[in-house]
Amino acid sequence: MAYENAAEIAGKKLPVLVNAKWPEAEKDADPEEKPSLRELRFRDRAPSAPVALAKANVKFAFYSGGLTAPKDVLKAVKKSIDAGLQADAAVRALTLSPAEIYGVSDRIGSIEVGKIANLVIADGDLFEEKTKIKMVFVDGRRFETHEPEKPKDPPKGDISGKWKLAFSTPDGPEEATADLTMEKDGTIAGTVTSKRGTGSILSGWASGEKFSFVINIPVNGSPTDVTFSGMFDATSLKGSLSVPGFSTDFTGTKPGARTEHPAVSAIAAEGAR
């Protein structure tokens, strides 16, 4: 609620971290329960908090809060820009300001001789939805991004939902939880959570009865791309999980989904004849 307290914060000369996960209605909220006017005003005005802080000359930085996908962070910052925040102030709140707040601006946060070369190269305005990230430099090392080829066939069904995944690794049996959402064109987003941590889907698609998505999580202490691919239907996933040098099969089920044993299905079919 810095939109109401920016002047007081400025008087205290305090730096501020702004949670970019703006308040919104709970997805599973009771539809009969109406939010109060105060709550509706809070949701509406929250993205304007950075605008108020900037006008009061308060140093602030964005942080992702509960957002997991990088694109969602940029969308959230765009809401503040739409509320009146200058684009250059938004960029500063993602780069130099957090470096200054944490005392490392002598090494990172801006493009200067002698600083670590962490750069993002885009083909347009960073906060526009159609803008593409072309390459990234991490400590001076160049990494190019490649747009994944989109499948031509529309998906047969919807893979969206929470899935329980089971697979085996050299360390023994493991389980994970996948929280997936799918767009109409088959694009898959979401997260996968296991004992190794939570990884956001970097790219994913569904085509026909097939799917594939990639996450990045620590494996043996190093960030590693993990690819899940296979077949899906309304209640099950089946396929392979692969990392460089290793691959294993996995299965996925929706907790609470009703499934029939093959023998039960056969008896039911016989009785219907």
Side-chain angles (χ1 to χ4, degrees), residues 228-251:
F228 293 79
S229 59
M231 309 286 288
F232 77 98
D233 59 31
T235 59
S236 66
L237 305 177
K238 185 178 182 180
S240 64
L241 174 164
S242 61
V243 298
F246 175 77
S247 179
T248 186
D249 292 338
F250 79 92
T251 58

Side-chain angles (χ1 to χ4, degrees), residues 199-241:
S200 297
I201 293 178
L202 305 178
S203 63
W205 55 263
S207 175
E209 298 173 341
K210 297 180 180 180
F211 73 91
S212 179
F213 58 82
V214 180
I215 65 170
N216 186 277
I217 57 173
V219 176
N220 295 328
S222 300
T224 304
D225 283 351
V226 183
T227 301
F228 293 79
S229 59
M231 309 286 288
F232 77 98
D233 59 31
T235 59
S236 66
L237 305 177
K238 185 178 182 180
S240 64
L241 174 164

Side-chain angles (χ1 to χ4, degrees), residues 85-113:
L85 183 67
Q86 295 296 313
D88 58 350
V91 171
R92 197 184 203 284
L94 291 168
T95 54
L96 185 57
S97 290
E100 291 173 342
I101 291 172
Y102 283 99
V104 291
S105 59
D106 59 327
R107 287 166 280 165
I108 59 175
S110 60
I111 304 173
E112 296 181 55
V113 175

Side-chain angles (χ1 to χ4, degrees), residues 37-90:
L37 180 60
R38 177 179 175 82
E39 186 176 351
L40 290 173
R41 186 183 293 117
F42 178 48
R43 294 179 199 165
D44 179 65
R45 296 191 62 188
S48 70
V51 183
L53 292 171
K55 289 181 178 179
N57 294 317
V58 175
K59 182 170 293 184
F60 71 94
F62 287 108
Y63 74 99
S64 60
L67 299 174
T68 55
K71 65 179 181 180
D72 290 339
V73 177
L74 293 180
K75 285 181 180 179
V77 175
K78 179 64 163 57
K79 287 186 177 181
S80 287
I81 294 174
D82 293 341
L85 183 67
Q86 295 296 313
D88 58 350

